[in-house]
C-alpha cells in the first residue's frame, strides 16, 4: 500500500474505474452474444433489435476508450453481415 496521499487516492480511483470498466465490458460481450444467439435461432426480428443494442454499446465503449474504435467497427460490421444474411 502506498504512503503518499496522491498515490493512495490513485489506487482507490484505479480500482473503481477497473470495476466499472469490467462491468461495461461484460455487458458489451453479453449484448454481442445475444445477437449471435438470435442469429443461431434464425429469429430475424429479435436479431435486429439485439443488433441495434449491441451497436449502441460498441459505439459507447469505443468513445470511452474501453475498446479500440477499429475493433468496435470490425465487430459491428461482422454482426451486421450476419444479421443481413438471415
Amino acid at each position: 500500500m502506498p504512503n503518499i496521499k496522491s498515490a493512495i487516492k490513485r489506487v482507490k480511483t484505479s480500482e473503481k474505474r477497473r470495476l466499472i470498466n469490467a462491468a461495461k465490458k461484460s455487458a458489451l460481450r453479453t449484448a454481442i452474444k445475444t445477437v449471435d444467439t438470435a442469429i443461431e435461432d434464425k429469429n430475424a426480428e429479435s436479431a435486429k433489435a439485439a443488433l441495434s443494442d449491441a451497436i449502441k454499446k460498441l459505439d459507447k465503449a469505443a468513445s470511452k476508450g474501453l475498446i479500440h474504435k477499429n475493433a468496435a467497427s470490425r465487430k459491428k460490421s461482422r454482426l451486421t453481415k450476419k444479421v443481413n444474411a438471415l
Side-chain angles (χ1 to χ4, degrees), residues 21-84:
N21 287 340
K24 288 191 193 269
K25 208 163 200 176
S26 175
L28 176 65
R29 287 195 201 105
T30 304
I32 292 170
K33 283 178 189 170
T34 305
V35 177
D36 286 332
T37 305
I39 290 167
E40 284 175 16
D41 295 341
K42 306 266 191 258
N43 193 342
E45 293 83 30
S46 66
K48 285 182 182 177
L51 177 67
S52 66
D53 181 49
I55 286 175
K56 181 181 173 189
K57 287 187 177 179
L58 281 164
D59 286 336
K60 191 83 157 180
S63 71
K64 298 289 182 187
L66 193 61
I67 59 172
H68 195 273
K69 67 184 180 92
N70 291 358
S73 183
R74 183 180 66 243
K75 288 177 193 287
K76 288 191 306 189
S77 175
R78 288 178 182 172
L79 285 174
T80 305
K81 267 189 194 174
K82 285 182 191 175
V83 170
N84 289 340

Side-chain angles (χ1 to χ4, degrees), residues 12-29:
K12 287 180 186 175
T13 56
S14 294
E15 180 62 15
K16 261 191 223 172
R17 288 308 316 169
R18 187 186 69 78
L19 292 172
I20 291 167
N21 287 340
K24 288 191 193 269
K25 208 163 200 176
S26 175
L28 176 65
R29 287 195 201 105

